[in-house]
Amino acid sequence: MMDLNTDKCKVLTISRKRRKVQHVYHLHNAPLESVESMKYLGVTTTSDLKWTQHINNTVNEANNVLSFLRRNLRIKSSDIKATAYKTLVRPVIEYASTVWDPSTKNLIHQVEMVQRRAARFTLNRYHNTSSVTRMLQELDWTTLEQRRENDRLIMMYKIHNNLTPLSAQDYIIKQATQLTRASQPHSYQVPYSRTESHPHSFFPRTVRNWNSLSSEIVSAPSVGSF
């Protein structure tokens, strides 16, 4: 990956190997700086393809926006505060989440804490005895983890129906025609994983979720009705 938007170009080499071979790349005979991470299209990618750095950056940015709202939106209306959160904070914490959706408990919790702070802000309840879980139920806010799963399934629906440049047949294989009672006719084989991290990437995770849906859901006529 190469960043051509700066005065000095940089190179990010992606590898899972413990021992990385250092290559020196040149552009117009000038050596390019090698970096361990790079932000591209709003997503921070690291050389080991872990999303911890991106999630940390995203959570910090979302918390900063939420703090700005707490300082400047001094009104009692919970409806307006909820709208401000959904308009200005949640898009930050969900941008490109189909790519970086975490699978570890600590990262999932780290992201959820943004919405839990937003619930306190929205309802103006900061006392230690106030139950944030009850606040979320009162606000009817789905967990961010569930929202990310829904977004992955929507992307899978688009891929399945050729609504994206990605072609399903290039990445996943349809299940055999012999189906069990529990399966649906649009099931895919879960991609084989050679590493511990691969099962948590987009296609293995989402195919498992997709295969658990009913035939009626996956056969929806449009994204809106999916």
Side-chain angles (χ1 to χ4, degrees), residues 200-217:
H200 306 295
S201 60
F202 175 81
F203 278 111
R205 290 179 75 185
T206 310
V207 165
R208 286 192 293 268
N209 297 143
W210 174 269
N211 290 348
S212 69
L213 299 177
S214 68
S215 178
E216 290 75 19
I217 293 176

Side-chain angles (χ1 to χ4, degrees), residues 52-136:
T52 304
Q53 184 175 338
H54 174 78
I55 291 171
N56 288 338
N57 294 343
T58 300
V59 167
N60 288 337
E61 183 181 353
N63 281 329
N64 288 338
V65 178
L66 185 58
S67 296
F68 174 84
L69 293 177
R70 286 185 59 182
R71 293 193 303 269
N72 295 278
L73 197 59
R74 298 172 181 260
I75 56 176
K76 293 183 179 180
S77 173
S78 58
D79 289 339
I80 294 177
K81 287 182 176 181
T83 299
Y85 161 67
K86 293 176 182 179
T87 305
L88 300 174
V89 181
R90 202 160 67 184
V92 173
I93 206 70
E94 292 187 331
Y95 174 74
S97 65
T98 53
V99 175
W100 56 263
D101 185 12
S103 58
T104 59
K105 290 183 179 180
N106 62 320
L107 290 178
I108 292 171
H109 176 72
Q110 187 178 342
V111 177
E112 290 295 339
M113 284 302 297
V114 175
Q115 179 158 271
R116 294 177 74 85
R117 294 186 188 101
R120 288 190 178 277
F121 158 72
T122 301
L123 297 175
N124 196 34
R125 298 177 193 167
Y126 295 99
H127 199 277
N128 290 337
T129 60
S130 301
S131 170
V132 180
T133 301
R134 290 181 182 176
M135 294 183 207
L136 295 171

Side-chain angles (χ1 to χ4, degrees), residues 2-3 6-7 19 51 77 155 165 173 195-196 209 214 218:
M2 186 180 298
D3 180 4
T6 59
D7 294 333
R19 283 191 173 185
W51 300 111
S77 173
M155 177 61 73
I173 303 171
T195 64
E196 293 182 1
N209 297 143
S214 68
V218 300

Side-chain angles (χ1 to χ4, degrees), residues 137-173:
Q137 292 172 349
E138 182 179 336
L139 292 166
D140 196 24
W141 287 358
T142 306
T143 65
L144 296 177
E145 181 182 13
Q146 183 61 58
R147 286 177 58 84
R148 290 193 300 274
E149 180 180 317
N150 293 343
D151 286 341
R152 285 192 289 104
L153 285 169
I154 289 172
M155 177 61 73
M156 183 68 190
Y157 175 89
K158 292 179 179 179
I159 294 171
H160 173 72
N161 290 282
N162 299 314
L163 300 176
T164 72
L166 294 175
S167 174
Q169 63 184 8
D170 292 337
Y171 298 93
I172 44 182
I173 303 171

